[in-house]
Structure formats: structure tokens, C-alpha cells
Amino acid sequence: MEGASNNFTATAHNILYANPTHTTLGNMSYDLNALSPSDFESLSADLVGREIGERFEEFGDGPDGGIDGRHVSGSQTIVLQSKHYARSGYSALKAELRKERAKIDRLDPDRYVLTTSVSLTPARKTELAGIIGPASKEAGDIIGADELQGLLRANPDIVEAHPRLWETSGAVLKTVLDKTLDEREARNQAPTVLRDLLPKTIRAPEDEVIAERDVVFLIGSRPNDDEFILWLGPKLESHGYTVFSELLTLEPGTRWRKEVNLALQHRGAKVLVTASDSSSRDDHVLDLIDKAIEVGQSITDSKYVIPLRVENSIRLDGLRDAVPVDFVRGWAEGLEKLLVALKRDRVPCNSEAASVTPQWDIFRKRGAIPIVNEPEQLISNWLRIVEMPDHIHYYEASGVIREDTIKRQVKRLTYEAKEHGRGLFTFADPHDIEESFESVAKFVLKESIRIDDFVEHGAPVAQMKPREASNLMTFFIRNAWERHCAERGMISYDFSGATGFHVSSDQASNGQKVRWGQQGDGRRSSMLRNIANKHVWKYGVSAIPRLWPFWHIRLKARVLFAEDNGTAEGKPINDAKKMHRLRRSGCKGWRNKQWHGRLLAFLELISAGSAFIRVRLAPGHDMLLSSEPIMFTSPVSTKLPDVLDADGEEEDESTLGRSLTESDEP
């Protein structure tokens, strides 16, 4: 492909041998075994993408068809496949590639790159290239563990972006700490990100120097507007704009006021100001606005300063006649309007070379909560799957039958089944299948497989690979959970990428507190639905099954809103954007204790107070979930104040509305 490097072998050789101290991390070795398969795929995409100068698409869980990463340019395609086989070894890697040869041939990519955590020799590369076939154009496109180590040493920023590589390494942690201390020692100079905005010939404000006006200045009150600026700045950079905010100096206050004014005077293309209550009372922000207005007048740009309305009814001194870009209705909607305005005013933009300044993420990390060297027990949102049926069955139709006939009948079933070719997979016994398909077709049991063998090895008789089998198992688990929630009377709502199930008024009334927790004094309560700000809100969850590191379901909290029309459920809202805005604003005041309490109250409700949740997979065959989330112990804890009592988090009327009193509760 044009512009892409075609020789990984030479590149890796230069990294490994020609310059072993390429970076401060150059002498280190990283434990690839600490990575999960998905972590290894993401790391491979970053490293290979960096080497060839292209960005790889990455995909979520599900059948990948032999593609872990992909880059498409015109009619040419690069396919990246990552095999994390450090524990399994070279023999297992070869066996897996032989199984995938047919997929590789069907893909027929212009270039096929394989990364593996297995150590490779020249002979092994040659052997693997023969197994891969014509798609492997050269041995340099097969990258083993040793070459990956070299690429990691050459790209310390990628190492820092993958914490699992360095969180177990004292040497890397020391390097990160030393880097932070070096930054602290350099604070007597203006930060590099600010100095780089000025041509080197500029020495004082009176110097007349012509510099390109290509920087968008983002101004807001510190620290109240930091969250919005941290969101907007990287978004603008990802669209190709050069952005400056005082956040990027990694310094608090107005220490670099003179330098900022100088940069704005010579480099400012537009000035964006957050129109918030805190900005309207911040003298530093108002001074910058005055300076920006002067610059706008000097270059005859009447729209040089653009207010960004992040709060209603806020006007900034000096900008009362300026038309703001509205972010109140939604940040994404506001960004879309802002991009149109910047394009209309021809603000310099280079979308082809867009990059996000790392200081945004560094600043975010520096504002993190301090770590305390004390263990802490944490409650997760994971529910362990404690029991499953022993076997899954594959049935095949005998005689002539249309596949669409099987699909239609499967949809009518009240238990889990999935068609596959001329047959179907299910947990149901033969007599239940015979009864369910009596008027449609006759099915013969072809294979009964232990579910752990099914997930690990697939189903040879049905020609199903292990990954397909794993995806099918998670499909059954998710579908059974959703069927169970629907049968319990939950309200379903399709969010982006998942279906949430919410507590209905038949299960809990508006404002009612649902008790959860231990008996006696340890008993607590939380609301799962109520009326606040003229809307009915309903708590719920969506389920994400996972089979690694053990079988479990992860519950993601969801909140559904409806307009308050005097009924218990309210009037449904069909506008997805409005629903998104309500979730951002209506739950903004909820803290961790509230989210945690609502999850446990939801589990108390759906389990009817039992220690387990029994979910039907087929007649007589159930999945058993623990109704208590999995506990984890962290070796360290955070220094967070906890001054509220057990139910203190349930007293925020602005988001929760008015709850029932104890005497009102049933």
C-alpha cells in the first residue's frame, strides 16, 4: 500500500539491535502474559499502526471472521490478526492458524499481518508463512514476542496507554514517576505547549511579527469549567483543529498570563469562551475576553470571540450581543453546530493530520484521587454464573426442509435455541424438541457436548469453531436473561447497542424505597423509580455476559425517562437525543452510593430476596446466578471523604424528587 512500510523485519532489527536505548524505557522488558486476549489485540493494533503509519479499525466482541484489525484505503486492505498464545505455545499457534487458513483465503487481503506473543525464530516464521498461504507476502509481516518487545521499547507512549503492561512493573512505574518529577523541575519556564505557539523571534508584545493564525483558544473558569473543556478540546483536535487551553500547561491559576496573551495576540484564529455562571464572575476570564475583543477588532473579525452556552440565561460582559453556540441541549449537538461555525468562518483545519495532544489525558490523570496504601473491599457489578446445564445439544433436521422454516419456528419458542445450517443448538431435551417442531420437521440428536468443551473446542459435527461457540453461549445467556426480565414484568427499552430492562410501577411505585442488604440494622433502602423535574425516571440494567476469567454477567446501569402526565408510567419519550440529554442532566447529582444502592435494590427485587436468580434456558434446564455481586479486594484504596450516613445519598430532591416517608411505605 502506498505510504505504508513494507518491511517489518528491517524495522524490528533497527529497534532491537541498532538502538537498544531508544527511549528511557529502552532496557525494559514487558510481561505480555499480563494482557487479556482483547488487550493484546488492542496493543498489536497500536504498535503495527504506528510502524506502518496507518490507523487500524478495532472491533468489539463477536465473530471476527479472522480480522482483529483492519485498514482500508481505496481498494486495498490490510488485515491484522493477533494470536495471544504465550501460555499455549508454538504448537497450539500452528494448529489454530491451520484452522483459520480457509478464512484467510476468503478474505484475500492485499496484506496480512500476524502478531503473536509466542517467541519466533526465522525457521518458525517460514513455517507459519507456509501455513498462512498466499496472504503472507513476506516473513517480516509475522511479528513474534521478541519483536513486539522491541516495538514497545521504541514507543513508550504506547506503553503508557496500556496500563496492564506497566502496572505490575516497578521499573516502568519508577520511570513514570521520574518523568513527573522532571516536569515539576521544569516549571520555572513556560510550558512547552505554550512556548510552541510563539515564533522564536517574538521577545515582547511590542515586537511586530507576522505569524499564522491557526489556533483555537478555549477559555473557561478554572476549575468549574474543566470537565467541559477536557471534553471539547480533544474533540476539536480530533477534527483537525489546533487547540490551546490553559489546562494544557498543566499549571493552576494564571501564572502564564503574559505568555497566553502574547500567543492569543499572534496566533489566535478564534476564541471560544464558556458562558457559565463561574466564567461570568471570573476576573481572569473577563480579562482574556477583553484582550480577545481587542484582537478581533484589530483584525476586523466581528465573530472572533464565540460564546459557548453551557448554562441557561448566562451572558458574559462584552459579549452580550454575540450569538452563542448552545451546548445546554446536549454537548454532542453543540459540537456539531460549533464545527459548522468554524468551517463557515474558514478557521484553519487539517483533518488528514489530526492528532490529540497527550496533555489532555495527563491533566485528567493529575486530578485523580490520591492513593492510600491500605486494602479496600470493592463490590462489583458482576454476577457469577454458579450453575449451567451440563450439556448443549445439536439437532439436525432429517428429510427435505427449508432453513427459513426452522428460523420462523425457533422465533416462536419460549426457550433458548439457535438455528445452524440444517439444524439447531439448544439445551432442550429430545422430547421437548419433538413436541416444539412436531408440525414443522423431524429433528435427530446429532451431538451432545459438555458446555466447557463446547466453548473451548467448538462443535466438530456441526462445523462450528470455538469462537463461534463462545459467541453462541453468550447469546444464549443474554437472551435468557432478557426473556426472564420480560416475564417478570420489566419495561424494556433499546439503548445504543443493548436492551435495558427497567422497574415497572407494578413492581415498585414512584418514590417507594426498596429495602436491600443484611437483616436488622444493616438493612438499607433505595428508590428505583420516582418523579422529578416533570419526568418519571425508572432504574434498570442491561446485561453483558462474559466467559472470562470465569462465567459471569456484567450489569450496566440504565435510567429511562418519561414525561410526567399524571400516570404512574408517564408518557414515553421517543426522541433519542432528548432521552440522552435527560440521562446526562437528570442523574448528574447521583453519586456512587446511589448507583450502588439502586443496583442492589434491583437485584433484591428480581431475585425476590433469594440468594440466587434462576433463569430458564430450556424446559427443566436453568441457569443459576448469584444475586450478590462479586466482591474484589484492591491492594490499595483511595483517599475519599465519606461523611454521609447510610441513607444520606437518597436526599437529593433535585434528581430524586420527593420520596415516601417511612409511614407512607407499605
Side-chain angles (χ1 to χ4, degrees):
M1 182 177 297
E2 184 177 354
S5 170
N6 288 316
N7 195 335
F8 278 111
T9 304
T11 302
H13 181 275
N14 291 336
I15 292 169
L16 286 168
Y17 305 109
N19 191 8
T21 57
H22 186 79
T23 71
T24 57
L25 304 180
N27 295 321
M28 296 181 184
S29 181
Y30 304 95
D31 183 10
L32 298 178
N33 289 335
L35 303 176
S36 69
S38 59
D39 291 334
F40 183 71
E41 291 174 8
S42 179
L43 176 66
S44 296
D46 287 348
L47 290 173
V48 175
R50 174 69 58 83
E51 286 306 303
I52 70 173
E54 304 288 1
R55 185 184 70 84
F56 277 96
E57 299 174 81
E58 296 182 57
F59 308 98
D61 293 338
D64 63 9
I67 302 175
D68 291 325
R70 180 178 63 187
H71 175 77
V72 179
S73 179
S75 61
Q76 294 185 308
T77 301
I78 303 176
V79 167
L80 171 65
Q81 186 73 357
S82 302
K83 296 298 182 183
H84 194 17
Y85 274 64
R87 293 188 178 92
S88 303
Y90 180 64
S91 297
L93 173 64
K94 287 196 301 181
E96 180 62 21
L97 285 176
R98 288 192 180 99
K99 293 178 183 178
E100 295 204 0
R101 171 63 184 271
K103 288 183 182 178
I104 298 172
D105 290 343
R106 285 196 298 270
L107 289 171
D108 190 25
D110 297 284
R111 188 175 181 185
Y112 181 88
V113 181
L114 171 70
T115 63
T116 177
S117 52
V118 176
S119 181
L120 300 179
T121 63
R124 285 183 172 183
K125 282 194 175 189
T126 301
E127 185 177 16
L128 292 179
I131 295 173
I132 295 169
S136 181
K137 303 296 191 297
E138 55 184 79
D141 282 351
I142 300 175
I143 307 171
D146 299 314
E147 290 162 296
L148 289 177
Q149 293 285 352
L151 293 173
L152 287 169
R153 289 192 287 271
N155 296 282
D157 58 322
I158 293 180
V159 174
E160 291 187 22
H162 292 266
R164 289 196 180 183
L165 281 173
W166 52 265
E167 61 188 5
T168 57
S169 171
V172 182
L173 286 173
K174 181 179 182 301
T175 300
V176 174
L177 178 60
D178 289 343
K179 179 180 176 183
T180 302
L181 294 175
D182 291 342
E183 290 173 356
R184 182 176 298 175
E185 292 175 359
R187 286 180 185 172
N188 59 334
Q189 302 181 24
T192 302
V193 71
L194 179 53
R195 296 200 308 270
D196 288 347
L197 294 184
L198 303 173
K200 295 181 180 180
T201 54
I202 291 182
R203 290 290 179 267
E206 61 269 15
D207 290 339
E208 292 186 4
V209 177
I210 298 176
E212 183 180 4
R213 292 191 174 278
D214 58 352
V215 179
V216 176
F217 278 73
L218 187 50
I219 298 173
S221 180
R222 306 285 314 280
N224 295 6
D225 295 332
D226 284 0
E227 181 183 0
F228 176 72
I229 293 173
L230 281 171
W231 177 86
L232 180 59
K235 291 288 190 298
L236 291 173
E237 287 190 339
S238 68
H239 282 82
Y241 292 99
T242 301
V243 179
F244 175 77
S245 163
E246 287 184 312
L247 291 183
L248 297 178
T249 67
L250 305 180
E251 293 285 350
T254 59
R255 180 174 179 180
W256 310 112
R257 177 177 297 188
K258 178 181 177 181
E259 289 80 359
V260 171
N261 286 344
L262 195 58
L264 189 153
Q265 177 181 345
H266 290 279
R267 296 291 301 278
K270 286 290 180 183
V271 176
L272 312 179
V273 185
T274 59
S276 64
D277 180 62
S278 55
S279 289
S280 67
R281 295 181 284 105
D282 189 317
D283 290 338
H284 177 54
V285 172
L286 297 178
D287 289 345
L288 285 173
I289 291 175
D290 291 341
K291 179 66 177 178
I293 291 174
E294 291 179 9
V295 174
Q297 291 172 346
S298 69
I299 62 175
T300 63
D301 183 354
S302 61
K303 298 179 181 179
Y304 185 67
V305 184
I306 302 176
L308 310 178
R309 182 188 290 145
V310 294
E311 295 177 16
N312 279 320
S313 306
I314 298 296
R315 293 280 184 177
L316 298 174
D317 289 344
L319 299 176
R320 294 186 177 275
D321 296 331
V323 178
V325 176
D326 187 11
F327 281 82
V328 174
R329 294 175 57 115
W331 288 5
E333 186 175 338
L335 174 62
E336 185 177 350
K337 293 178 180 178
L338 176 60
L339 292 173
V340 171
L342 295 177
K343 183 177 181 180
R344 180 193 61 218
D345 290 351
R346 298 181 180 179
V347 176
C349 174
N350 187 355
S351 57
E352 294 182 358
S355 63
V356 177
T357 305
Q359 276 87 345
W360 296 110
D361 192 49
I362 294 173
F363 181 86
R364 186 178 287 108
K365 290 176 180 177
R366 289 182 63 170
I369 303 298
I371 300 296
V372 180
N373 191 25
E374 297 175 0
E376 180 181 3
Q377 198 168 45
L378 304 173
I379 301 177
S380 71
N381 60 335
W382 296 14
L383 299 184
R384 186 184 292 273
I385 300 175
V386 295
E387 282 187 17
M388 286 287 289
D390 291 334
H391 295 83
I392 188 169
H393 310 300
Y394 177 66
Y395 296 88
E396 193 171 272
S398 61
V400 179
I401 188 171
R402 291 167 56 97
E403 290 186 11
D404 57 345
T405 304
I406 300 177
K407 291 182 180 180
R408 286 196 299 270
Q409 187 62 18
V410 166
K411 290 181 179 179
R412 300 189 184 103
L413 298 178
T414 58
Y415 54 86
E416 303 315 312
K418 180 67 175 176
E419 65 280 355
H420 181 78
R422 285 179 44 80
L424 55 88
F425 283 95
T426 181
F427 295 98
D429 294 327
H431 64 273
D432 293 308
I433 292 296
E434 182 179 355
E435 182 179 334
S436 299
F437 289 86
E438 183 178 7
S439 60
V440 177
K442 181 177 179 59
F443 281 90
V444 177
L445 177 61
K446 299 293 290 186
E447 188 175 22
S448 291
I449 315 167
R450 290 188 59 84
I451 60 170
D452 50 352
D453 290 336
F454 177 67
V455 169
E456 186 173 355
H457 303 295
V461 170
Q463 296 183 341
M464 177 173 282
K465 302 295 184 182
R467 188 156 188 170
E468 295 175 273
S470 177
N471 291 336
L472 179 60
M473 188 62 67
T474 59
F475 168 80
F476 279 153
I477 294 172
R478 182 191 299 109
N479 207 43
W481 167 270
E482 294 180 354
R483 190 191 299 270
H484 179 75
C485 290
E487 290 173 352
R488 292 296 304 273
M490 297 270 177
I491 301 169
S492 67
Y493 184 86
D494 291 332
F495 294 91
S496 176
T499 300
F501 284 86
H502 304 263
V503 176
S504 69
S505 57
D506 293 333
Q507 297 164 318
S509 58
N510 293 333
Q512 176 186 346
K513 290 186 176 181
V514 176
R515 295 189 180 278
W516 57 270
Q518 301 173 352
Q519 300 295 326
D521 294 338
R523 200 78 164 149
R524 288 187 54 194
S525 58
S526 299
M527 278 185 283
L528 293 175
R529 49 182 296 127
N530 203 9
I531 301 174
N533 297 325
K534 300 181 181 180
H535 288 89
V536 180
W537 63 264
K538 312 158 192 182
Y539 178 87
V541 301
S542 55
I544 307 169
R546 289 289 185 268
L547 307 182
W548 189 90
F550 46 79
W551 290 38
H552 65 281
I553 286 180
R554 301 178 189 180
L555 299 181
K556 181 174 182 177
R558 304 283 193 179
V559 181
L560 181 65
F561 288 87
E563 295 179 4
D564 181 14
N565 62 356
T567 64
E569 295 298 345
K571 180 182 177 182
I573 296 174
N574 297 319
D575 186 342
K577 291 185 177 180
K578 182 177 181 180
M579 186 72 73
H580 176 72
R581 291 195 300 269
L582 286 168
R583 289 199 299 274
R584 289 187 64 90
S585 60
C587 307
K588 186 167 60 175
W590 294 7
R591 298 174 63 182
N592 285 343
K593 276 190 175 181
Q594 288 170 300
W595 290 107
H596 167 69
R598 269 180 255 299
L599 173 62
L600 295 185
F602 180 92
L603 293 174
E604 185 85 7
L605 199 65
I606 199 169
S607 68
S610 170
F612 301 99
I613 304 170
R614 186 173 293 276
V615 179
R616 191 174 78 137
L617 293 169
H621 299 284
D622 300 334
M623 169 177 64
L624 206 61
L625 301 169
S626 172
S627 62
E628 296 182 1
I630 295 171
M631 303 283 289
F632 294 98
T633 299
S634 169
V636 296
S637 58
T638 54
K639 190 176 181 180
L640 281 173
D642 188 5
V643 296
L644 295 179
D645 58 27
D647 289 314
E649 296 282 354
E650 287 291 302
E651 296 177 359
D652 182 1
E653 292 189 10
S654 66
T655 52
L656 299 180
R658 176 187 167 275
S659 64
L660 297 177
T661 63
E662 290 294 328
S663 59
D664 293 330
E665 292 184 4

